[in-house]
Amino acid sequence: MRVAVQAGPFDYGAESAAFAAAAEGAGAVVTFLGVVRDNGGALRAMEIEHYPGMTEKAIAGIVEEAAGRWPLT
């Protein structure tokens, strides 16, 4: 399992296809792609701030818990 936090852009379609190809034999592949609503036309940008070390540590904990609970590919 690979989880990445990155600053640069990526190709969602290519990432999803590579993930699905690597998950051969899995019962399902689930992804999520969200859309931000611009109610009223006031949205100019969306930013997220995080502390990379803390973010990666928290995500690693979620991955570890999930792998302990379910037989993930």
Side-chain angles (χ1 to χ4, degrees):
M1 182 181 306
R2 179 178 82 88
V3 177
V5 177
Q6 61 193 53
F10 62 93
D11 181 333
Y12 176 80
E15 291 287 337
S16 296
F19 182 81
E24 183 178 334
V29 174
V30 179
T31 64
F32 174 80
L33 176 65
V35 176
V36 176
R37 294 183 187 156
D38 183 9
N39 294 334
L43 182 67
R44 298 287 177 248
M46 186 175 116
E47 298 180 17
I48 184 169
E49 292 186 28
H50 69 99
Y51 298 102
M54 290 176 70
T55 301
E56 291 159 355
K57 183 177 179 181
I59 291 172
I62 293 167
V63 168
E64 184 177 330
E65 180 182 346
R69 293 176 71 180
W70 302 287
L72 303 175
T73 301

Short mmCIF file of all heavy atoms in Angstrom, two decimals:
data_model
loop_
_atom_site.label_atom_id
_atom_site.label_comp_id
_atom_site.label_asym_id
_atom_site.label_seq_id
_atom_site.Cartn_x
_atom_site.Cartn_y
_atom_site.Cartn_z
N MET A 1 0.85 -1.17 0.00
CA MET A 1 0.00 0.00 0.00
C MET A 1 0.90 1.23 0.00
O MET A 1 1.89 1.29 0.71
CB MET A 1 -0.89 -0.01 1.24
CG MET A 1 -1.84 1.15 1.28
SD MET A 1 -2.89 1.20 2.75
CE MET A 1 -3.63 -0.40 2.74
N ARG A 2 0.53 2.21 -0.81
CA ARG A 2 1.31 3.45 -0.89
C ARG A 2 0.39 4.62 -0.61
O ARG A 2 -0.69 4.73 -1.19
CB ARG A 2 1.90 3.60 -2.29
CG ARG A 2 2.71 4.87 -2.48
CD ARG A 2 3.31 4.94 -3.89
NE ARG A 2 2.35 5.44 -4.86
CZ ARG A 2 2.15 6.73 -5.14
NH1 ARG A 2 2.83 7.66 -4.50
NH2 ARG A 2 1.27 7.09 -6.06
N VAL A 3 0.82 5.48 0.29
CA VAL A 3 0.11 6.72 0.57
C VAL A 3 1.11 7.84 0.37
O VAL A 3 2.23 7.77 0.88
CB VAL A 3 -0.45 6.76 2.01
CG1 VAL A 3 -1.10 8.08 2.30
CG2 VAL A 3 -1.41 5.61 2.23
N ALA A 4 0.75 8.87 -0.39
CA ALA A 4 1.68 9.95 -0.68
C ALA A 4 1.06 11.30 -0.37
O ALA A 4 -0.12 11.53 -0.64
CB ALA A 4 2.10 9.91 -2.14
N VAL A 5 1.86 12.18 0.20
CA VAL A 5 1.50 13.57 0.38
C VAL A 5 2.50 14.34 -0.45
O VAL A 5 3.71 14.21 -0.25
CB VAL A 5 1.59 14.00 1.87
CG1 VAL A 5 1.27 15.47 2.04
CG2 VAL A 5 0.68 13.15 2.73
N GLN A 6 2.02 15.12 -1.40
CA GLN A 6 2.95 15.80 -2.30
C GLN A 6 2.46 17.20 -2.60
O GLN A 6 1.27 17.49 -2.51
CB GLN A 6 3.11 15.01 -3.59
CG GLN A 6 1.83 14.83 -4.37
CD GLN A 6 1.94 13.80 -5.46
OE1 GLN A 6 2.34 12.67 -5.20
NE2 GLN A 6 1.60 14.18 -6.68
N ALA A 7 3.38 18.06 -2.96
CA ALA A 7 3.05 19.45 -3.24
C ALA A 7 2.67 19.67 -4.70
O ALA A 7 1.89 20.56 -5.01
CB ALA A 7 4.24 20.35 -2.89
N GLY A 8 3.19 18.86 -5.58
CA GLY A 8 2.98 19.07 -7.00
C GLY A 8 1.71 18.42 -7.53
O GLY A 8 1.10 17.59 -6.87
N PRO A 9 1.32 18.81 -8.72
CA PRO A 9 0.13 18.22 -9.35
C PRO A 9 0.36 16.76 -9.74
O PRO A 9 1.51 16.31 -9.84
CB PRO A 9 -0.08 19.09 -10.59
CG PRO A 9 1.23 19.69 -10.87
CD PRO A 9 1.95 19.81 -9.57
N PHE A 10 -0.72 16.04 -9.94
CA PHE A 10 -0.63 14.65 -10.37
C PHE A 10 -1.81 14.33 -11.26
O PHE A 10 -2.81 15.05 -11.27
CB PHE A 10 -0.56 13.69 -9.17
CG PHE A 10 -1.78 13.73 -8.30
CD1 PHE A 10 -2.83 12.83 -8.51
CD2 PHE A 10 -1.90 14.64 -7.28
CE1 PHE A 10 -3.96 12.87 -7.71
CE2 PHE A 10 -3.02 14.69 -6.48
CZ PHE A 10 -4.06 13.79 -6.69
N ASP A 11 -1.71 13.25 -12.00
CA ASP A 11 -2.75 12.82 -12.92
C ASP A 11 -3.63 11.81 -12.19
O ASP A 11 -3.24 10.66 -11.99
CB ASP A 11 -2.12 12.21 -14.16
CG ASP A 11 -3.12 11.76 -15.20
OD1 ASP A 11 -4.27 11.42 -14.84
OD2 ASP A 11 -2.74 11.71 -16.38
N TYR A 12 -4.84 12.24 -11.77
CA TYR A 12 -5.73 11.37 -11.01
C TYR A 12 -6.05 10.09 -11.77
O TYR A 12 -6.05 9.01 -11.21
CB TYR A 12 -7.02 12.13 -10.67
CG TYR A 12 -8.05 11.28 -9.96
CD1 TYR A 12 -7.94 11.03 -8.61
CD2 TYR A 12 -9.12 10.72 -10.65
CE1 TYR A 12 -8.87 10.24 -7.95
CE2 TYR A 12 -10.06 9.94 -10.01
CZ TYR A 12 -9.92 9.70 -8.66
OH TYR A 12 -10.84 8.92 -8.02
N GLY A 13 -6.32 10.21 -13.06
CA GLY A 13 -6.65 9.04 -13.87
C GLY A 13 -5.51 8.04 -13.91
O GLY A 13 -5.72 6.84 -13.76
N ALA A 14 -4.29 8.53 -14.12
CA ALA A 14 -3.13 7.65 -14.16
C ALA A 14 -2.89 6.98 -12.81
O ALA A 14 -2.58 5.78 -12.74
CB ALA A 14 -1.89 8.42 -14.60
N GLU A 15 -3.03 7.74 -11.74
CA GLU A 15 -2.84 7.18 -10.39
C GLU A 15 -3.88 6.11 -10.10
O GLU A 15 -3.56 5.04 -9.58
CB GLU A 15 -2.90 8.28 -9.32
CG GLU A 15 -1.74 9.25 -9.34
CD GLU A 15 -0.46 8.64 -8.82
OE1 GLU A 15 -0.50 7.66 -8.04
OE2 GLU A 15 0.61 9.16 -9.17
N SER A 16 -5.13 6.38 -10.43
CA SER A 16 -6.21 5.42 -10.21
C SER A 16 -6.02 4.15 -11.03
O SER A 16 -6.22 3.04 -10.53
CB SER A 16 -7.57 6.04 -10.54
OG SER A 16 -7.83 7.12 -9.69
N ALA A 17 -5.63 4.31 -12.28
CA ALA A 17 -5.41 3.15 -13.15
C ALA A 17 -4.25 2.30 -12.64
O ALA A 17 -4.34 1.07 -12.62
CB ALA A 17 -5.14 3.61 -14.58
N ALA A 18 -3.17 2.93 -12.22
CA ALA A 18 -2.02 2.19 -11.69
C ALA A 18 -2.40 1.46 -10.41
O ALA A 18 -2.00 0.30 -10.19
CB ALA A 18 -0.84 3.14 -11.44
N PHE A 19 -3.17 2.11 -9.56
CA PHE A 19 -3.61 1.49 -8.31
C PHE A 19 -4.47 0.27 -8.61
O PHE A 19 -4.28 -0.80 -8.03
CB PHE A 19 -4.38 2.50 -7.46
CG PHE A 19 -4.84 1.96 -6.14
CD1 PHE A 19 -3.96 1.89 -5.07
CD2 PHE A 19 -6.12 1.49 -5.97
CE1 PHE A 19 -4.37 1.38 -3.85
CE2 PHE A 19 -6.54 0.98 -4.76
CZ PHE A 19 -5.66 0.92 -3.70
N ALA A 20 -5.43 0.42 -9.52
CA ALA A 20 -6.33 -0.69 -9.87
C ALA A 20 -5.55 -1.84 -10.48
O ALA A 20 -5.82 -3.01 -10.20
CB ALA A 20 -7.42 -0.20 -10.82
N ALA A 21 -4.56 -1.54 -11.33
CA ALA A 21 -3.76 -2.59 -11.96
C ALA A 21 -2.95 -3.36 -10.91
O ALA A 21 -2.80 -4.58 -11.01
CB ALA A 21 -2.82 -1.98 -13.00
N ALA A 22 -2.48 -2.65 -9.90
CA ALA A 22 -1.69 -3.31 -8.84
C ALA A 22 -2.57 -4.10 -7.88
O ALA A 22 -2.08 -4.93 -7.13
CB ALA A 22 -0.89 -2.26 -8.07
N ALA A 23 -3.87 -3.84 -7.89
CA ALA A 23 -4.79 -4.50 -6.97
C ALA A 23 -5.48 -5.70 -7.61
O ALA A 23 -6.60 -6.05 -7.22
CB ALA A 23 -5.82 -3.49 -6.47
N GLU A 24 -4.83 -6.32 -8.55
CA GLU A 24 -5.42 -7.48 -9.23
C GLU A 24 -5.83 -8.53 -8.21
O GLU A 24 -5.08 -8.86 -7.30
CB GLU A 24 -4.42 -8.08 -10.21
CG GLU A 24 -4.96 -9.22 -11.01
CD GLU A 24 -3.96 -9.78 -12.01
OE1 GLU A 24 -3.06 -9.05 -12.43
OE2 GLU A 24 -4.09 -10.96 -12.33
N GLY A 25 -7.03 -9.02 -8.33
CA GLY A 25 -7.53 -10.03 -7.40
C GLY A 25 -8.26 -9.43 -6.20
O GLY A 25 -8.84 -10.17 -5.41
N ALA A 26 -8.23 -8.12 -6.07
CA ALA A 26 -8.94 -7.49 -4.95
C ALA A 26 -10.44 -7.53 -5.22
O ALA A 26 -10.87 -7.55 -6.37
CB ALA A 26 -8.48 -6.04 -4.79
N GLY A 27 -11.22 -7.53 -4.19
CA GLY A 27 -12.66 -7.56 -4.35
C GLY A 27 -13.21 -6.25 -4.86
O GLY A 27 -14.23 -6.21 -5.53
N ALA A 28 -12.54 -5.13 -4.55
CA ALA A 28 -13.01 -3.82 -5.00
C ALA A 28 -11.87 -2.82 -4.92
O ALA A 28 -10.93 -2.98 -4.15
CB ALA A 28 -14.16 -3.35 -4.12
N VAL A 29 -11.98 -1.81 -5.73
CA VAL A 29 -11.08 -0.66 -5.67
C VAL A 29 -11.97 0.56 -5.51
O VAL A 29 -12.89 0.77 -6.30
CB VAL A 29 -10.22 -0.53 -6.95
CG1 VAL A 29 -9.41 0.75 -6.92
CG2 VAL A 29 -9.31 -1.74 -7.10
N VAL A 30 -11.72 1.35 -4.47
CA VAL A 30 -12.55 2.51 -4.19
C VAL A 30 -11.67 3.75 -4.17
O VAL A 30 -10.62 3.76 -3.54
CB VAL A 30 -13.26 2.36 -2.82
CG1 VAL A 30 -14.10 3.58 -2.51
CG2 VAL A 30 -14.10 1.10 -2.79
N THR A 31 -12.09 4.78 -4.88
CA THR A 31 -11.39 6.06 -4.86
C THR A 31 -12.39 7.16 -4.56
O THR A 31 -13.60 6.96 -4.64
CB THR A 31 -10.69 6.37 -6.20
OG1 THR A 31 -11.69 6.51 -7.21
CG2 THR A 31 -9.72 5.27 -6.59
N PHE A 32 -11.89 8.32 -4.22
CA PHE A 32 -12.75 9.48 -3.97
C PHE A 32 -12.14 10.68 -4.65
O PHE A 32 -10.95 10.95 -4.52
CB PHE A 32 -12.88 9.75 -2.47
CG PHE A 32 -13.63 11.01 -2.18
CD1 PHE A 32 -15.02 11.03 -2.23
CD2 PHE A 32 -12.96 12.18 -1.88
CE1 PHE A 32 -15.72 12.21 -1.98
CE2 PHE A 32 -13.66 13.35 -1.63
CZ PHE A 32 -15.04 13.37 -1.68
N LEU A 33 -12.96 11.41 -5.36
CA LEU A 33 -12.55 12.66 -5.99
C LEU A 33 -13.61 13.68 -5.62
O LEU A 33 -14.81 13.47 -5.88
CB LEU A 33 -12.48 12.49 -7.51
CG LEU A 33 -12.17 13.74 -8.31
CD1 LEU A 33 -10.78 14.26 -7.99
CD2 LEU A 33 -12.28 13.44 -9.80
N GLY A 34 -13.21 14.76 -4.97
CA GLY A 34 -14.18 15.75 -4.51
C GLY A 34 -14.21 16.98 -5.38
O GLY A 34 -13.29 17.26 -6.14
N VAL A 35 -15.29 17.71 -5.26
CA VAL A 35 -15.47 18.97 -5.98
C VAL A 35 -15.83 20.04 -4.96
O VAL A 35 -16.66 19.81 -4.08
CB VAL A 35 -16.59 18.84 -7.04
CG1 VAL A 35 -16.86 20.18 -7.71
CG2 VAL A 35 -16.25 17.79 -8.07
N VAL A 36 -15.22 21.21 -5.07
CA VAL A 36 -15.52 22.32 -4.18
C VAL A 36 -16.57 23.19 -4.85
O VAL A 36 -16.40 23.59 -6.00
CB VAL A 36 -14.25 23.15 -3.89
CG1 VAL A 36 -14.58 24.36 -3.03
CG2 VAL A 36 -13.21 22.28 -3.20
N ARG A 37 -17.65 23.47 -4.16
CA ARG A 37 -18.71 24.30 -4.71
C ARG A 37 -18.34 25.78 -4.58
O ARG A 37 -17.77 26.20 -3.59
CB ARG A 37 -20.02 24.05 -3.97
CG ARG A 37 -20.54 22.68 -4.18
CD ARG A 37 -21.88 22.50 -3.50
NE ARG A 37 -22.27 21.11 -3.59
CZ ARG A 37 -23.09 20.51 -2.77
NH1 ARG A 37 -23.63 21.18 -1.78
NH2 ARG A 37 -23.39 19.25 -2.92
N ASP A 38 -18.69 26.52 -5.56
CA ASP A 38 -18.47 27.96 -5.56
C ASP A 38 -19.81 28.66 -5.51
O ASP A 38 -20.30 29.19 -6.50
CB ASP A 38 -17.68 28.36 -6.82
CG ASP A 38 -17.34 29.84 -6.84
OD1 ASP A 38 -17.55 30.53 -5.82
OD2 ASP A 38 -16.88 30.31 -7.89
N ASN A 39 -20.44 28.62 -4.35
CA ASN A 39 -21.75 29.25 -4.18
C ASN A 39 -21.62 30.77 -4.29
O ASN A 39 -20.95 31.40 -3.48
CB ASN A 39 -22.36 28.87 -2.84
CG ASN A 39 -22.69 27.40 -2.77
OD1 ASN A 39 -22.93 26.76 -3.78
ND2 ASN A 39 -22.71 26.85 -1.56
N GLY A 40 -22.22 31.34 -5.28
CA GLY A 40 -22.22 32.79 -5.42
C GLY A 40 -21.02 33.37 -6.16
O GLY A 40 -20.90 34.57 -6.29
N GLY A 41 -20.11 32.54 -6.62
CA GLY A 41 -18.97 33.04 -7.39
C GLY A 41 -17.89 33.73 -6.59
O GLY A 41 -17.08 34.44 -7.14
N ALA A 42 -17.85 33.54 -5.27
CA ALA A 42 -16.87 34.22 -4.43
C ALA A 42 -15.58 33.42 -4.26
O ALA A 42 -14.58 33.96 -3.78
CB ALA A 42 -17.47 34.52 -3.06
N LEU A 43 -15.57 32.16 -4.64
CA LEU A 43 -14.39 31.32 -4.45
C LEU A 43 -13.28 31.74 -5.41
O LEU A 43 -13.47 31.81 -6.62
CB LEU A 43 -14.74 29.85 -4.68
CG LEU A 43 -13.62 28.86 -4.47
CD1 LEU A 43 -13.21 28.80 -3.01
CD2 LEU A 43 -14.04 27.48 -4.95
N ARG A 44 -12.11 32.03 -4.87
CA ARG A 44 -10.97 32.42 -5.69
C ARG A 44 -9.87 31.37 -5.67
O ARG A 44 -9.12 31.24 -6.61
CB ARG A 44 -10.40 33.76 -5.22
CG ARG A 44 -11.36 34.90 -5.33
CD ARG A 44 -11.55 35.30 -6.80
NE ARG A 44 -12.54 36.36 -6.91
CZ ARG A 44 -13.73 36.22 -7.47
NH1 ARG A 44 -14.09 35.08 -7.98
NH2 ARG A 44 -14.57 37.23 -7.53
N ALA A 45 -9.77 30.65 -4.57
CA ALA A 45 -8.73 29.63 -4.44
C ALA A 45 -9.08 28.72 -3.26
O ALA A 45 -9.87 29.10 -2.40
CB ALA A 45 -7.37 30.27 -4.20
N MET A 46 -8.50 27.55 -3.27
CA MET A 46 -8.62 26.65 -2.13
C MET A 46 -7.22 26.20 -1.77
O MET A 46 -6.45 25.76 -2.63
CB MET A 46 -9.47 25.44 -2.49
CG MET A 46 -9.73 24.56 -1.29
SD MET A 46 -10.84 23.21 -1.70
CE MET A 46 -9.74 21.84 -1.45
N GLU A 47 -6.87 26.37 -0.53
CA GLU A 47 -5.54 26.00 -0.06
C GLU A 47 -5.67 25.11 1.16
O GLU A 47 -6.64 25.20 1.90
CB GLU A 47 -4.74 27.25 0.31
CG GLU A 47 -4.50 28.18 -0.84
CD GLU A 47 -3.70 29.41 -0.44
OE1 GLU A 47 -3.07 29.39 0.64
OE2 GLU A 47 -3.71 30.39 -1.19
N ILE A 48 -4.67 24.28 1.34
CA ILE A 48 -4.60 23.47 2.55
C ILE A 48 -3.20 23.64 3.13
O ILE A 48 -2.22 23.63 2.39
CB ILE A 48 -4.92 21.98 2.27
CG1 ILE A 48 -4.92 21.20 3.59
CG2 ILE A 48 -3.96 21.39 1.28
CD1 ILE A 48 -5.48 19.79 3.47
N GLU A 49 -3.15 23.87 4.40
CA GLU A 49 -1.87 23.97 5.09
C GLU A 49 -1.75 22.80 6.04
O GLU A 49 -2.73 22.36 6.64
CB GLU A 49 -1.79 25.27 5.88
CG GLU A 49 -1.73 26.51 5.02
CD GLU A 49 -1.50 27.77 5.82
OE1 GLU A 49 -0.89 27.69 6.91
OE2 GLU A 49 -1.93 28.83 5.36
N HIS A 50 -0.54 22.26 6.14
CA HIS A 50 -0.30 21.16 7.05
C HIS A 50 1.17 21.12 7.40
O HIS A 50 2.00 21.76 6.76
CB HIS A 50 -0.75 19.83 6.42
CG HIS A 50 0.11 19.40 5.27
ND1 HIS A 50 1.12 18.49 5.40
CD2 HIS A 50 0.13 19.80 3.96
CE1 HIS A 50 1.72 18.32 4.24
NE2 HIS A 50 1.12 19.11 3.35
N TYR A 51 1.48 20.39 8.43
CA TYR A 51 2.86 20.15 8.81
C TYR A 51 3.22 18.78 8.26
O TYR A 51 2.67 17.77 8.75
CB TYR A 51 3.02 20.20 10.33
CG TYR A 51 2.68 21.55 10.91
CD1 TYR A 51 1.46 21.77 11.53
CD2 TYR A 51 3.58 22.60 10.81
CE1 TYR A 51 1.14 23.01 12.05
CE2 TYR A 51 3.27 23.86 11.33
CZ TYR A 51 2.05 24.04 11.95
OH TYR A 51 1.74 25.27 12.45
N PRO A 52 4.07 18.70 7.24
CA PRO A 52 4.32 17.42 6.56
C PRO A 52 4.63 16.26 7.50
O PRO A 52 4.04 15.19 7.36
CB PRO A 52 5.50 17.74 5.65
CG PRO A 52 5.33 19.20 5.35
CD PRO A 52 4.82 19.80 6.63
N GLY A 53 5.51 16.43 8.46
CA GLY A 53 5.84 15.33 9.36
C GLY A 53 4.65 14.84 10.16
O GLY A 53 4.43 13.63 10.31
N MET A 54 3.85 15.77 10.65
CA MET A 54 2.66 15.39 11.42
C MET A 54 1.61 14.73 10.53
O MET A 54 0.99 13.75 10.92
CB MET A 54 2.06 16.62 12.09
CG MET A 54 2.90 17.19 13.21
SD MET A 54 2.20 18.70 13.90
CE MET A 54 0.75 18.06 14.73
N THR A 55 1.43 15.28 9.33
CA THR A 55 0.45 14.72 8.40
C THR A 55 0.82 13.30 8.02
O THR A 55 -0.02 12.39 8.06
CB THR A 55 0.36 15.60 7.13
OG1 THR A 55 -0.01 16.93 7.52
CG2 THR A 55 -0.64 15.05 6.15
N GLU A 56 2.07 13.09 7.65
CA GLU A 56 2.52 11.76 7.24
C GLU A 56 2.43 10.77 8.39
O GLU A 56 2.04 9.61 8.20
CB GLU A 56 3.92 11.85 6.66
CG GLU A 56 3.93 12.58 5.33
CD GLU A 56 5.28 13.15 4.94
OE1 GLU A 56 6.24 13.07 5.73
OE2 GLU A 56 5.35 13.70 3.83
N LYS A 57 2.74 11.21 9.61
CA LYS A 57 2.64 10.33 10.77
C LYS A 57 1.19 9.94 11.02
O LYS A 57 0.89 8.77 11.30
CB LYS A 57 3.22 11.02 12.00
CG LYS A 57 3.24 10.17 13.24
CD LYS A 57 3.88 10.90 14.41
CE LYS A 57 3.86 10.04 15.66
NZ LYS A 57 4.45 10.73 16.81
N ALA A 58 0.27 10.89 10.92
CA ALA A 58 -1.15 10.60 11.13
C ALA A 58 -1.68 9.64 10.06
O ALA A 58 -2.41 8.70 10.38
CB ALA A 58 -1.97 11.90 11.13
N ILE A 59 -1.31 9.87 8.82
CA ILE A 59 -1.76 8.98 7.74
C ILE A 59 -1.17 7.59 7.93
O ILE A 59 -1.87 6.58 7.74
CB ILE A 59 -1.41 9.57 6.36
CG1 ILE A 59 -2.27 10.80 6.10
CG2 ILE A 59 -1.60 8.53 5.26
CD1 ILE A 59 -1.88 11.58 4.85
N ALA A 60 0.09 7.49 8.32
CA ALA A 60 0.71 6.18 8.57
C ALA A 60 -0.04 5.44 9.67
O ALA A 60 -0.23 4.22 9.59
CB ALA A 60 2.18 6.35 8.94
N GLY A 61 -0.51 6.15 10.68
CA GLY A 61 -1.29 5.52 11.75
C GLY A 61 -2.62 4.99 11.24
O GLY A 61 -3.05 3.90 11.63
N ILE A 62 -3.27 5.74 10.35
CA ILE A 62 -4.53 5.29 9.76
C ILE A 62 -4.29 4.04 8.91
O ILE A 62 -5.06 3.08 8.97
CB ILE A 62 -5.16 6.42 8.92
CG1 ILE A 62 -5.59 7.57 9.85
CG2 ILE A 62 -6.34 5.90 8.11
CD1 ILE A 62 -5.93 8.85 9.12
N VAL A 63 -3.23 4.05 8.12
CA VAL A 63 -2.89 2.89 7.28
C VAL A 63 -2.62 1.67 8.16
O VAL A 63 -3.13 0.58 7.88
CB VAL A 63 -1.67 3.21 6.38
CG1 VAL A 63 -1.14 1.95 5.72
CG2 VAL A 63 -2.03 4.25 5.34
N GLU A 64 -1.86 1.86 9.22
CA GLU A 64 -1.53 0.75 10.11
C GLU A 64 -2.80 0.18 10.77
O GLU A 64 -2.97 -1.04 10.84
CB GLU A 64 -0.55 1.22 11.20
CG GLU A 64 -0.08 0.11 12.11
CD GLU A 64 0.94 0.61 13.12
OE1 GLU A 64 1.69 1.56 12.84
OE2 GLU A 64 0.96 0.02 14.24
N GLU A 65 -3.68 1.05 11.21
CA GLU A 65 -4.93 0.58 11.83
C GLU A 65 -5.79 -0.18 10.83
O GLU A 65 -6.32 -1.25 11.13
CB GLU A 65 -5.73 1.76 12.39
CG GLU A 65 -7.02 1.31 13.04
CD GLU A 65 -7.85 2.46 13.57
OE1 GLU A 65 -7.35 3.59 13.69
OE2 GLU A 65 -9.04 2.21 13.88
N ALA A 66 -5.92 0.36 9.61
CA ALA A 66 -6.72 -0.29 8.59
C ALA A 66 -6.14 -1.66 8.23
O ALA A 66 -6.87 -2.64 8.12
CB ALA A 66 -6.81 0.58 7.34
N ALA A 67 -4.83 -1.73 8.09
CA ALA A 67 -4.19 -3.00 7.74
C ALA A 67 -4.35 -4.03 8.87
O ALA A 67 -4.42 -5.24 8.60
CB ALA A 67 -2.71 -2.77 7.44
N GLY A 68 -4.44 -3.56 10.10
CA GLY A 68 -4.65 -4.46 11.23
C GLY A 68 -6.09 -4.96 11.32
O GLY A 68 -6.35 -6.02 11.89
N ARG A 69 -7.02 -4.20 10.77
CA ARG A 69 -8.43 -4.56 10.87
C ARG A 69 -8.94 -5.35 9.69
O ARG A 69 -9.85 -6.17 9.81
CB ARG A 69 -9.27 -3.29 11.00
CG ARG A 69 -9.04 -2.56 12.33
CD ARG A 69 -9.80 -1.28 12.40
NE ARG A 69 -11.23 -1.52 12.53
CZ ARG A 69 -12.14 -0.58 12.61
NH1 ARG A 69 -11.79 0.69 12.57
NH2 ARG A 69 -13.42 -0.89 12.71
N TRP A 70 -8.39 -5.10 8.50
CA TRP A 70 -8.88 -5.73 7.31
C TRP A 70 -7.74 -6.29 6.44
O TRP A 70 -6.64 -5.73 6.46
CB TRP A 70 -9.67 -4.73 6.45
CG TRP A 70 -10.84 -4.14 7.18
CD1 TRP A 70 -12.01 -4.76 7.50
CD2 TRP A 70 -10.95 -2.80 7.67
NE1 TRP A 70 -12.84 -3.90 8.15
CE2 TRP A 70 -12.22 -2.68 8.28
CE3 TRP A 70 -10.10 -1.70 7.67
CZ2 TRP A 70 -12.66 -1.51 8.87
CZ3 TRP A 70 -10.54 -0.52 8.26
CH2 TRP A 70 -11.80 -0.45 8.84
N PRO A 71 -7.99 -7.33 5.68
CA PRO A 71 -6.95 -7.88 4.80
C PRO A 71 -6.85 -7.04 3.51
O PRO A 71 -7.44 -7.36 2.49
CB PRO A 71 -7.45 -9.30 4.50
CG PRO A 71 -8.95 -9.19 4.61
CD PRO A 71 -9.20 -8.15 5.68
N LEU A 72 -6.14 -5.93 3.59
CA LEU A 72 -6.03 -5.01 2.46
C LEU A 72 -4.94 -5.45 1.49
O LEU A 72 -3.93 -5.99 1.89
CB LEU A 72 -5.71 -3.59 2.95
CG LEU A 72 -6.71 -3.01 3.95
CD1 LEU A 72 -6.20 -1.66 4.45
CD2 LEU A 72 -8.08 -2.87 3.33
N THR A 73 -5.19 -5.22 0.22
CA THR A 73 -4.19 -5.50 -0.81
C THR A 73 -3.33 -4.28 -0.98
O THR A 73 -3.80 -3.21 -1.11
CB THR A 73 -4.88 -5.86 -2.13
OG1 THR A 73 -5.71 -6.99 -1.93
CG2 THR A 73 -3.86 -6.15 -3.22
#
